Amino acid sequence: MTVAEAQTGLPSTPCTIGSRNFWTAYGWEEGGDEWSGPWGSSAGMWWGSIWPRIRTALPAARVLEIGCGFGRVTDFLRGCARELITVDVTPRCVEHCRRRFDGDARVRCEVTDGRSLPMVDTGSIDFAMSWEVLVHVERETLAAYFGELARVLRAGGRGFIHHSNLGVHERELAGIEPDERTGGRRLSQTAEACAEDARSAGLRVVSQEILSFNESGLWSDVFTVVERDDLNTRVPTRVEYAYDWGVERALARRHGRMYRALPESA
């Protein structure tokens, strides 16, 4: 039995075990900030790409983050919540975040089995999000999370979920090693499949933004916004392609270079 299984009381999937093993062994040389290079910094990533997409849902009383890693998004998200529950499948990551945010009573870090949220009360969450994490899970795992989001979100609560769209390129990628161009994205997931699973769970799919996240020439990723909305289930989903994604990240880099914070006086 793994640590996560012991703590959650639920078995792990092979995908979860592989992910946990990878991130346990990973070096974390820059504490996760190395993944923010395309924006110039984690601050550039937050203010340039994340905040504009989630600002209408924040601040909120209770926020959930799925996949905290070493806390590069958590650090910004905690300032937008009265209480932040952040979960991860990797005990090493959860332990690091507990140390990093020790003393901040708003933040609670928990180990999850990779598909359920038993540590979160029903109807308690105003806003949930996951960034650059659920791109690595299979369709069935994300579908399970949608079932949990339908349970934990309050009426009117929203979720922002970053996931794979690689399935639309399945024929094109035949015979290519998964990480060669795809960054570990999963072929089992697409925007349409995600929307179908979210609706089956009882969530309304508000919007889907499709993009080439790593500028690989593939429409590899999707930002899907869901809502627990029982009254407007037939409102059409807004779907757009982010043709200017590369420009967006370049602007964040330039702004970071040109408009750095002034050093504090001695």
Side-chain angles (χ1 to χ4, degrees):
M1 178 180 290
T2 66
V3 173
E5 288 172 343
Q7 292 186 4
T8 63
L10 295 168
S12 298
T13 64
C15 180
T16 301
I17 293 170
S19 178
R20 185 181 299 129
N21 291 341
F22 179 87
W23 295 113
T24 297
Y26 182 71
W28 297 100
E29 288 84 0
E30 298 178 40
D33 290 336
E34 61 272 26
W35 297 101
S36 303
W39 293 268
S41 66
S42 290
M45 177 188 70
W46 173 264
W47 296 113
S49 290
I50 299 178
W51 177 250
R53 291 174 168 87
I54 67 174
R55 61 186 176 80
T56 56
L58 297 171
R62 299 194 78 200
V63 174
L64 168 69
E65 180 190 20
I66 300 173
C68 58
F70 265 34
R72 66 173 174 146
V73 174
T74 315
D75 194 30
F76 296 96
L77 197 56
R78 63 182 173 141
C80 304
R82 191 171 66 203
E83 179 182 355
L84 171 62
I85 302 172
T86 186
V87 302
D88 203 285
V89 299
T90 307
R92 181 188 176 194
C93 293
V94 172
E95 289 160 9
H96 176 88
C97 284
R98 284 174 178 165
R99 292 192 301 271
R100 178 174 179 176
F101 303 116
D102 183 39
D104 189 336
R106 296 170 298 184
V107 182
R108 176 158 63 97
C109 310
E110 302 284 355
V111 177
T112 178
D113 65 338
R115 67 179 184 276
S116 67
L117 302 165
M119 70 292 294
V120 184
D121 293 337
T122 298
S124 65
I125 298 298
D126 299 290
F127 177 69
M129 76 165 290
S130 183
W131 177 265
E132 254 190 298
V133 173
L134 296 178
V135 293
H136 303 301
V137 304
E138 302 292 352
R139 177 180 177 177
E140 62 183 19
T141 300
L142 186 53
Y145 268 129
F146 280 135
E148 283 289 77
L149 288 178
R151 178 182 66 81
V152 304
L153 287 173
R154 65 164 177 79
R158 283 197 170 188
F160 175 93
I161 305 298
H162 177 190
H163 62 88
S164 174
N165 187 51
L166 207 61
V168 300
H169 297 288
E170 187 169 9
R171 290 185 180 179
E172 181 181 344
L173 293 172
I176 295 177
E177 288 298 317
D179 288 341
E180 199 169 301
R181 288 179 63 194
T182 65
R185 271 71 178 158
R186 300 296 170 173
L187 285 167
S188 62
Q189 188 61 276
T190 66
E192 289 185 1
C194 171
E196 179 183 332
D197 292 339
R199 293 185 186 109
S200 293
L203 296 167
R204 180 166 77 90
V205 182
V206 179
S207 63
Q208 293 190 297
E209 186 178 12
I210 302 170
L211 58 149
S212 180
F213 192 79
N214 294 324
E215 299 177 62
S216 61
L218 304 172
W219 292 110
S220 59
D221 293 37
V222 187
F223 300 146
T224 292
V225 176
V226 297
E227 185 173 49
R228 209 194 118 201
D229 182 356
D230 301 330
L231 300 178
N232 299 295
T233 55
R234 296 190 179 184
V235 175
T237 301
R238 299 190 302 274
V239 179
E240 291 192 16
Y241 285 80
Y243 293 99
D244 55 353
W245 175 247
V247 174
E248 178 180 311
R249 298 204 296 187
L251 283 173
R253 291 195 301 272
R254 189 176 76 191
H255 292 162
R257 290 193 306 270
M258 299 296 294
Y259 306 104
R260 295 177 184 271
L262 293 174
E264 294 183 6
S265 343

